[in-house]
Amino acid sequence: MQYVAAKTADEAVALLAGHSGMARVLAGGTDLLVQLKSGMVEPDLVVDIKRIPGMRDITPEAGGFRVGAAVSGAELGEHAGVCAMWPGVVEGFNLIGSTQVQGRATMAGNLCNASPAGDAVPSLVAAGATVRVQGPNGTRDVPILEIPAGPGRTTLAKGEIVTSIFLPGRPDRASDAYLRFIPRTEMDIAVASAGVSLVLGSDGTVESARVALGAVAPTILLAEEAAKVITGTRLDDETLARMATACEAICKPIDDKRGTVEFRTRTAGVLAKRAARIAYDRAGAKA
Amino acid sequence: MALDAYQKREFKQVGTRPNRPDGVDKVTGRAMYGADVTAPGMLHAKVLRSPHAHARIRSIDTSAAEALPGVKAVVTSADFGVPEDAFLLDVQDHCMAREKALYDGHAVAAVAATSIAAAKAALKLIKVDYEVLPHVTDLDEAMKPGAPVVQAGRAFENVPAGMSENVTHHCEFGHGDLEAGFAKADHVIERSFKTAATHQGYIEPNACLASVTADGKADLWVCTQGQFFYRTLCSAILGMEASQLRVTASEIGGGFGGKTMVYMEPVALALSRKAGRPVKLVLTRDEVFRATGPTVSSSMDIKIGMTKDGRITAAQARLRYSGGAFHCGTVDFGAQAAFAAYDLDAVRSLGWNVMTNRPKESAYRAPGAPLSIYAVESVVDELCQHFGLDPLEVRLKNAADKGTKSSYGPTFDQIGLKATLEAAKAHPHYAAPLGPNQGRGLSCGFWFNFGGNTCVSLSVNTDGTVGVTEGNPDIGGSRASISLMAAEELGIPYDKIRTIVADTSSLGYNDVTDGSRVTFAVGLATIKAARDAIKKMCSRAAKIWGIDEDAVEWVDGAAVPAGPNAGKFPPMTLAEIAAVSAETGGPICGHHEVNADGAGVSFGVHLCDIEVDPETGATKVLRYTVFQDAGKAVHPSYVEGQMQGGAVQGIGWALNEEYIYGADGKLQNPGFLDYRIPVASDLPMIDTVILEIPNPGHPYGVRGVGETGIVPPLAAIANAVSRAVGVRMTELPMSPPKLQKALAEKG
Ligand SMILES: Cc1cc2nc3c(=O)[nH]c(=O)nc-3n(C[C@H](O)[C@H](O)[C@H](O)COP(=O)(O)OP(=O)(O)OC[C@H]3O[C@@H](n4cnc5c(N)ncnc54)[C@H](O)[C@@H]3O)c2cc1C
């Protein structure tokens, strides 16, 4: 197995595009190294992107933030600007693993590992974040939702890498939240999850919302109907109950060792309700 | 009074909390665990495992693997004999499948090579021709006539006719007239329960280094709870004389009963014998889960009758346990322990062992007892709720006591159950307020405890320090406790003593570290070895003073003349006697050998508060208090550690831990991600209350404390859940999907 620490994104892309065997990008390695050790993947080439200048930067852009693909959970969690604007994105990302894992894990790695249960992704979907992808044919910006193709698969073409994730700017009266269900309190994998981002109108009702559900389908789901249900409301109990029902309606989970179809479906609705409430309170507190 | 009987005394060191002697090595990473031993010329071994739950092995072709560069030996069952002893054959078959692979992960061949990579590559070249057979992993299914037969012809004669061939064993305990008892009850509840198999979950995977030399001598360095028993099994399987195999126990990263059985050690020895080089074999976590000792799984029916004032009139348990693909007697322990906490006129427990296509069960802390007691304590709680009676009062009313004829036969001597229940009743925890969706549960627990074969050597060094040589791997701080008891008896400071765990060539046979026996039995032998050394030191002093040795006694670490008539001599300390030992007769050592009985049964009571999230079915443990009788807590921190550790393992069993098999008969969760032991943040501080009701069978009154603690949590949590949200969980684990479903069905 060959290991290369690329010095530029162009070099990384060239190496990956030109390689004929199995190649993998290495960011924090908290998924990849585990897979290597257990013999799940046996790549001939590993390209480390952490040393590429700019990959570990968080830069203000157009009222929002551009987050480099190698920014770790610990680094994002210490960024006051991102924490204030996108607390739900930060909390989803910071739930991953332990202190040690947080020192290395990246959002881009979580996204490209393409687990339907990845904790960083639902909040990014709810946030309407976009991904900058660089490949042999240049650079493109892609909505988060279009990256995962199914468990363990992405829509990235051969030689393409994610170089950054863009979190858009937003008005003051807005916030987001993420919740996951795990049978333990940490070191676990989401059995169902929900990210909710919303903007409040001047009258205190929800002006617009995005709701995303994790671990209840082969890829993260955007729950458009659930968002519609809460728009224009103050999240009274009856609205929240209808929101949960709307979430349940789109779940297509599997029955497995981690949870039944019934459990995942019901729990996704519960989490969406609770995350919406938290996001609503956070947004209200800012006003 | 026998010399080993309890005598009341004022302790100077026993009962204090000095640092443990193994602590620094463990926290600095210097402790030598099973995988840390290496030898020149060492090879690495890997095991090929069956991907099928049940398959006949038609043939195994190892030629391509043998031809791979770096491969030095390949073994299969053909490299072992066929022992006549049925138990030994089971142990061997578990280590290496003979005619059939009996479960997913069953070893079928093993390779030793110059690198791990070469060994792994060689595994891929071994061709096994399997005839896949129908399998059964659920024990209720396995009991049905017509179920796939795991192993034919294994049923004992006492198994009732007409049952599936998978039922190997039947037992029955109890006394009194059940029918009359149930007739006297104001209410009778009958419930069925099911529990999943769980794993001990020790953090250190099984590991060993085996070295067999050309002249047939062998060494085995291994992570084990019992080097002597491993020697017995390995030498018998390999056809060696015991003296030719020396087994050295490494430092141990958890065992909980799981490391009382060989899994791959005979294979490592066979590889070393074939290759002529030392062989190291370290299991992966996946292998640990698939092929080393889980507990039994169970299916149980309990029937208990009670009067409206809370007296139990009759009780019956029907227990079906599966110890995997082999014969297993653990159901006997479950049947004996089920009603041990109660003083009953009419009681019966019946047990059956059922074979399934799962790995061979190994001991896990109080093997068999947590399950049957979970079921019994659940029904007792339900009866208390039915009559609106206080669950602690009901237990006190029915509690076994000194003189009670136990449900499994013997009449109890001094036991601590009532005192433990009283302590729980008086504790602020029992009266603390609860919030919505919160509930408080309690359960009694019991374990027999064990003494067993024990041998200790104690040497007095010429500089006034002392070495204690014992033969039981330290899985819970026992070296500290043993040093404390030696220090107490000799009258010298704790830090002048170093206790080590010796290899099999250095001491007589010691039973495995199990049955909560070490602080009791090794402690007893240490105290008596110290007394032996004291006797010799007194005799040396007598010689120096020119007086009769009976005229010398030992006081506070020194020989003194016994009374004014003996003569006037200043005390001679241990150090002074030791310094001149070469002139008075040579080295001074004390020894003791015993097959100890009088271990004294152990009872505990647990109180726990939980809160259920009614929407997700998640259970959070809010407060937890363990009350247990330790006889005498030699090192209270390690007694508390045992009580807390047992509680935590029981909480894991109650809430999330389980062996999950798919329809394909494969284990779905062989790793710590999906086999969920509790993590620190899942738990509150586990509070402990140690009671000290001296065990009459030990000089300091010590009782084993290691196992009882895992017994009560299962029912304590189920009872708390029932009181919090009104659903009775009769299947373990009470994982969130099950509880959420039960709550939805209740509406
Ligand atoms: C102990 C532990 C606990 C964990 N807990 C959680 C948890 O709670 N929740 C959770 O969701 N995950 C968890 N994980 C998984 C993992 O930590 C996360 O998915 C993490 O975000 C992965 O990021 P990484 O940078 O380490 O990815 P890597 O391992 O470096 O990469 C992951 C995958 O993405 C690809 N990749 C990485 N970066 C790029 C890029 N820029 N462009 C294209 N492809 C790329 C890699 O080739 C690889 O296939 C845990 C892992 C461990 C070891």
Side-chain angles (χ1 to χ4, degrees):
Chain A
M1 189 188 85
Q2 199 196 352
Y3 165 88
V4 184
K7 282 176 211 71
T8 62
D10 289 344
E11 184 195 350
V13 168
L15 278 166
L16 293 163
H19 189 75
S20 56
M22 188 193 217
R24 279 282 185 283
V25 175
L26 176 74
T30 59
D31 276 313
L32 188 62
L33 295 193
V34 176
Q35 291 162 5
L36 284 177
K37 228 185 141 186
S38 69
M40 254 171 75
V41 294
E42 290 174 342
D44 326 285
L45 172 69
V46 169
V47 179
D48 190 342
I49 58 161
K50 283 191 289 295
R51 313 252 176 96
I52 297 173
M55 283 284 183
R56 301 187 57 182
D57 294 348
I58 304 169
T59 331
E61 183 180 313
F65 297 95
R66 183 161 295 282
V67 182
V71 170
S72 71
E75 286 164 336
L76 194 74
E78 285 175 4
H79 193 282
V82 177
C83 290
M85 189 180 286
W86 294 105
V89 170
V90 176
E91 80 190 340
F93 187 20
N94 282 0
L95 274 177
I96 292 175
S98 55
T99 304
Q100 291 90 329
V101 170
Q102 278 292 307
R104 303 195 70 89
T106 66
M107 289 198 288
N110 194 244
L111 177 69
C112 296
N113 189 57
S115 159
D119 281 309
V121 188
S123 297
L124 288 171
V125 169
T130 53
V131 179
R132 183 154 295 168
V133 175
Q134 186 173 335
N137 303 324
T139 298
R140 59 192 177 109
D141 286 342
V142 192
I144 288 281
L145 206 50
E146 289 173 22
I147 297 290
R153 290 183 299 116
T154 67
T155 55
L156 296 178
K158 184 174 164 64
E160 281 190 327
I161 62 167
V162 171
T163 56
S164 65
I165 292 176
F166 178 64
L167 291 166
R170 61 196 326 204
D172 263 353
R173 294 169 62 85
S175 198
D176 64 339
Y178 174 75
L179 288 174
R180 67 170 176 183
F181 184 86
I182 53 174
R184 286 189 289 216
T185 44
E186 58 183 336
M187 301 310 286
D188 215 324
I189 183 163
V191 185
S193 65
V196 177
S197 171
L198 43 79
V199 179
L200 301 191
S202 51
D203 63 350
T205 61
V206 175
E207 189 177 282
S208 67
R210 280 172 69 90
V211 178
L213 304 176
V216 287
T219 60
I220 307 293
L221 299 177
L222 184 66
E224 286 166 299
E225 186 57 34
K228 226 182 271 166
V229 166
I230 59 172
T231 303
T233 75
R234 287 193 170 79
L235 300 189
D236 53 285
D237 289 349
E238 191 264 333
T239 302
L240 288 176
R242 280 198 294 124
M243 179 202 191
T245 309
C247 289
E248 289 177 10
I250 60 165
C251 293
K252 302 183 287 282
I254 51 168
D255 246 333
D256 74 353
K257 60 196 169 192
R258 295 184 184 137
T260 55
V261 167
E262 193 187 1
F263 179 76
R264 288 192 142 112
T265 305
R266 195 176 281 143
T267 304
V270 171
L271 297 176
K273 280 195 303 192
R274 292 179 182 180
R277 190 81 245 174
I278 296 168
Y280 183 85
D281 290 345
R282 279 178 184 164
K286 279 188 191 173
Chain B
M1 189 185 275
L3 201 65
D4 54 355
Y6 171 70
Q7 278 170 296
K8 198 173 163 59
R9 61 191 283 161
E10 287 295 313
F11 290 107
K12 294 201 168 80
Q13 301 195 58
V14 159
T16 62
R17 301 169 183 249
N19 286 339
R20 61 195 296 158
D22 48 320
V24 170
D25 281 355
K26 283 180 174 164
V27 301
T28 57
R30 293 186 72 151
M32 300 283 284
Y33 289 97
D36 292 327
V37 187
T38 56
M42 183 181 87
L43 303 173
H44 297 273
K46 281 276 161 197
V47 179
L48 183 69
R49 299 185 179 277
S50 168
H52 306 295
H54 194 192
R56 191 168 307 287
I57 301 170
R58 289 208 199 94
S59 65
I60 305 179
D61 179 358
T62 59
S63 54
E66 277 157 21
L68 190 74
V71 172
K72 301 294 176 193
V74 180
V75 297
T76 65
S77 66
D79 293 87
F80 296 89
V82 181
E84 269 173 36
D85 180 81
F87 169 72
L88 198 63
L89 184 58
D90 275 354
V91 171
Q92 180 184 310
D93 282 351
H94 188 38
C95 293
M96 187 60 73
R98 206 156 30 95
E99 289 154 0
K100 291 203 293 183
L102 296 169
Y103 55 89
D104 164 45
H106 198 169
V108 294
V111 175
T114 49
S115 70
I116 293 175
K120 276 189 184 168
L123 291 188
K124 292 186 183 162
L125 298 175
I126 297 174
K127 291 185 214 67
V128 186
D129 182 11
Y130 291 108
E131 176 194 345
V132 178
L133 302 170
H135 64 267
V136 59
T137 53
D138 179 87
L139 78 90
D140 288 326
E141 291 300 320
M143 276 186 97
K144 290 184 183 155
V149 174
V150 177
Q151 293 199 60
R154 297 304 304 272
F156 287 0
E157 282 167 6
N158 68 348
V159 173
M163 290 187 135
S164 152
E165 256 193 283
N166 291 323
V167 183
T168 62
H169 172 72
H170 174 62
C171 63
E172 183 169 346
F173 301 92
H175 56 254
D177 184 344
L178 277 185
E179 241 175 81
F182 284 122
K184 275 187 240 161
D186 294 312
H187 190 63
V188 176
I189 289 183
E190 230 182 316
R191 284 267 171 277
S192 295
F193 297 84
K194 251 186 126 140
T195 68
T198 58
H199 195 272
Q200 293 80 357
Y202 39 77
I203 300 302
E204 184 197 9
N206 307 66
C208 71
L209 173 68
S211 179
V212 184
T213 57
D215 60 356
K217 286 202 276 296
D219 259 292
L220 179 70
W221 293 270
V222 60
C223 168
T224 175
Q225 288 176 242
Q227 62 275 45
F228 293 90
F229 188 50
Y230 275 34
R231 180 186 65 181
T232 303
L233 296 175
C234 290
S235 59
I237 289 171
L238 277 274
M240 300 175 70
E241 287 174 355
S243 62
Q244 297 309 305
L245 173 60
R246 181 174 62 162
V247 183
T248 308
S250 71
E251 204 57 70
I252 182 168
F256 313 108
K259 289 174 183 164
T260 58
M261 179 44 66
V262 297
Y263 303 105
M264 79 309 180
E265 294 78 5
V267 175
L269 284 162
L271 283 167
S272 175
R273 180 162 69 183
K274 204 163 179 177
R277 287 166 63 167
V279 170
K280 174 136 105 183
L281 210 177
V282 181
L283 297 190
T284 62
R285 183 61 60 191
D286 175 274
E287 291 177 292
V288 170
F289 274 111
R290 286 164 75 205
T292 74
T295 61
V296 292
S297 52
S298 78
S299 161
M300 307 172 282
D301 310 318
I302 306 293
K303 181 176 175 187
I304 301 178
M306 197 183 266
T307 60
K308 58 180 180 304
D309 60 348
R311 180 75 187 131
I312 298 174
T313 58
Q316 177 185 290
R318 300 171 67 84
L319 312 173
R320 299 165 292 274
Y321 285 13
S322 176
F326 299 88
H327 175 72
C328 173
T330 296
V331 72
D332 287 46
F333 293 138
Q336 292 179 311
F339 298 107
Y342 296 102
D343 178 8
L344 301 172
D345 292 336
V347 57
R348 192 84 73 248
S349 24
L350 310 168
W352 292 267
N353 179 64
V354 191
M355 289 186 296
T356 51
N357 292 110
R358 292 170 175 244
K360 185 174 184 306
E361 179 252 14
S362 278
Y364 181 20
R365 256 183 154 144
L371 322 176
S372 60
I373 290 181
Y374 150 65
V376 167
E377 290 292 281
S378 294
V379 174
V380 170
D381 190 64
E382 200 176 338
L383 283 161
C384 294
Q385 290 188 44
H386 174 83
F387 290 119
L389 295 169
D390 180 283
L392 252 177
E393 294 295 350
V394 167
R395 274 148 180 113
L396 271 167
K397 187 168 225 153
N398 293 282
D401 206 349
K402 185 173 178 165
T404 296
K405 182 178 164 57
S406 70
S407 56
Y408 61 98
T411 299
F412 286 132
D413 196 337
Q414 185 83 272
I415 57 171
L417 177 60
K418 278 197 172 159
T420 313
L421 285 162
E422 293 287 1
K425 197 172 134 187
H427 196 276
H429 184 169
Y430 196 56
L434 290 166
N437 299 313
Q438 296 180 357
R440 176 166 301 136
L442 80 92
S443 171
C444 296
F446 163 84
W447 187 242
F448 306 91
N449 288 349
F450 178 56
N453 291 294
T454 309
C455 174
V456 167
S457 246
L458 181 152
S459 43
V460 179
N461 304 317
T462 52
D463 66 352
T465 61
V466 167
V468 178
T469 305
E470 49 110 349
N472 277 95
D474 174 354
I475 56 173
S478 55
R479 275 168 293 187
S481 299
I482 288 159
S483 292
L484 270 173
M485 287 185 269
E488 182 77 42
E489 199 63 32
L490 293 168
I492 61 170
Y494 168 81
D495 58 13
K496 296 274 181 238
I497 296 174
R498 180 162 181 198
T499 297
I500 64 123
V501 179
D503 63 65
T504 54
S505 296
S506 307
L507 274 183
Y509 190 89
N510 280 274
D511 276 322
V512 172
T513 294
D514 71 358
S516 303
R517 72 175 215 94
V518 176
T519 307
F520 167 74
V522 180
L524 182 147
T526 300
I527 291 165
K528 296 180 92 182
R531 288 177 184 171
D532 187 33
I534 287 169
K535 197 155 173 276
K536 289 171 186 163
M537 289 188 285
C538 289
S539 130
R540 300 294 176 92
K543 203 173 194 176
I544 291 165
W545 293 331
I547 63 174
D548 194 51
E549 64 175 76
D550 293 341
V552 179
E553 48 178 36
W554 192 258
V555 179
D556 284 344
V560 293
N565 296 338
K568 248 184 150 354
F569 302 100
M572 249 193 122
T573 64
L574 179 143
E576 287 163 350
I577 296 169
V580 298
S581 58
E583 288 93 66
T584 59
I588 301 167
C589 294
H591 302 280
H592 193 74
E593 298 85 34
V594 66
N595 187 355
D597 47 26
V601 299
S602 163
F603 286 94
V605 175
H606 291 196
L607 274 185
C608 94
D609 297 352
I610 60 92
E611 180 172 329
V612 173
D613 180 332
E615 289 187 309
T616 63
T619 302
K620 183 173 160 65
V621 181
L622 302 172
R623 185 173 182 181
Y624 203 104
T625 313
V626 177
F627 304 83
Q628 194 177 320
D629 172 19
K632 174 70 204 169
V634 176
H635 192 305
S637 298
Y638 303 146
V639 171
E640 288 159 7
Q642 290 298 309
M643 290 159 67
Q644 292 166 325
V648 168
Q649 288 187 313
I651 290 169
W653 202 333
L655 293 178
N656 282 308
E657 293 182 39
E658 64 179 314
Y659 264 48
I660 306 171
Y661 280 92
D664 57 2
K666 293 192 196 192
L667 184 61
Q668 305 279 301
N669 57 338
F672 279 132
L673 177 55
D674 286 304
Y675 181 90
R676 292 186 171 77
I677 61 174
V679 295
S681 55
D682 292 341
L683 301 158
M685 183 64 187
I686 309 286
D687 293 321
T688 55
V689 176
I690 301 173
L691 285 91
E692 294 189 328
I693 296 143
N695 171 17
H698 185 277
Y700 293 177
V702 169
R703 253 178 235 280
V705 296
E707 289 166 288
T708 300
I710 200 175
V711 179
L714 286 58
I717 292 186
N719 294 343
V721 166
S722 147
R723 286 165 187 271
V725 287
V727 292
R728 172 66 52 193
M729 299 305 286
T730 56
E731 250 185 57
L732 297 187
M734 295 168 260
S735 51
K738 281 191 210 144
L739 189 48
Q740 190 195 55
K741 186 160 190 260
L743 288 165
E745 279 161 9
K746 179 194 153 222

